[in-house]
Amino acid sequence: VLLAIFLVGSWGSISESVQLSFVPRDQAGLSAAGRIVNVEGRVRRKLVSDVLWFPADVGEAVFLGDGIETKREASSLIELHELARIHLKIGAETIVKMRTFMKKPLILLLEGEVEVSGETPESVYVSTGLKMEKIQVRKGSSTKVRRTRDGDLDVKTAKTDVENEQG
């Protein structure tokens, strides 16, 4: 009985990905924000013009308005390069939407946690829809932003380079 349930469950997820491979995705007219550089575990994305969530793949472009969702024990790294040069790590069980605010990237954090870092000074906004924070990205530091249960933002910045750790 357990084997039958496993086989049916496996076929369901295989058939979903096979079915989704036949659905066309129209990217015409969309504004690029960056690209996916790493995917671990089950990560899905939804183009701004789609209603379906598709498996996310390394190398795919990320557009303004896109949604990205990570499942349990999953993560994704996105390199934003159009509006700013920023690395956005999306933690497990997180849902984000890519937007802009004042010509800068805006990460709408619907659920979970993200980490923002970069090599050059930049600004990025993170919002829950209720609260917004401007994050200053600097070389040698990373900022973790977590959405709390009440819709607030918990922001923690840490030094990441050896020189700052010693001094």
Side-chain angles (χ1 to χ4, degrees), residues 99-120:
R99 303 273 168 89
T100 61
F101 180 73
M102 297 179 59
K103 297 183 181 181
K104 292 290 183 184
L106 167 66
I107 312 307
L108 183 57
L109 185 56
L110 301 172
E111 191 176 303
E113 178 178 280
V114 295
E115 183 176 339
V116 181
S117 62
E119 295 297 314
T120 58

Side-chain angles (χ1 to χ4, degrees), residues 5 12 15 44 62 67 70 73 79 92 99 105 113 148 150 163:
I5 291 171
S15 66
R44 301 185 315 161
V62 175
T70 57
E73 298 181 17
E79 184 179 86
R99 303 273 168 89
E113 178 178 280
T148 63
D150 62 356
E163 185 176 312

Side-chain angles (χ1 to χ4, degrees), residues 76-124:
S76 181
L77 181 63
I78 297 175
E79 184 179 86
L80 299 176
H81 53 73
E82 291 302 316
L83 301 170
R85 297 211 169 271
I86 295 170
H87 298 280
L88 175 68
K89 183 175 183 180
I90 302 171
E93 299 183 50
T94 298
I95 302 172
V96 300
K97 285 196 176 192
M98 310 303 293
R99 303 273 168 89
T100 61
F101 180 73
M102 297 179 59
K103 297 183 181 181
K104 292 290 183 184
L106 167 66
I107 312 307
L108 183 57
L109 185 56
L110 301 172
E111 191 176 303
E113 178 178 280
V114 295
E115 183 176 339
V116 181
S117 62
E119 295 297 314
T120 58
E122 298 280 1
S123 298
V124 62

Side-chain angles (χ1 to χ4, degrees), residues 127-146:
S127 174
T128 62
L130 300 172
K131 184 171 183 187
M132 183 182 302
E133 291 279 341
K134 182 178 183 181
I135 308 297
Q136 295 295 332
V137 177
R138 290 182 172 46
K139 183 177 182 177
S141 70
S142 68
T143 303
K144 288 187 179 184
V145 183
R146 182 180 59 85

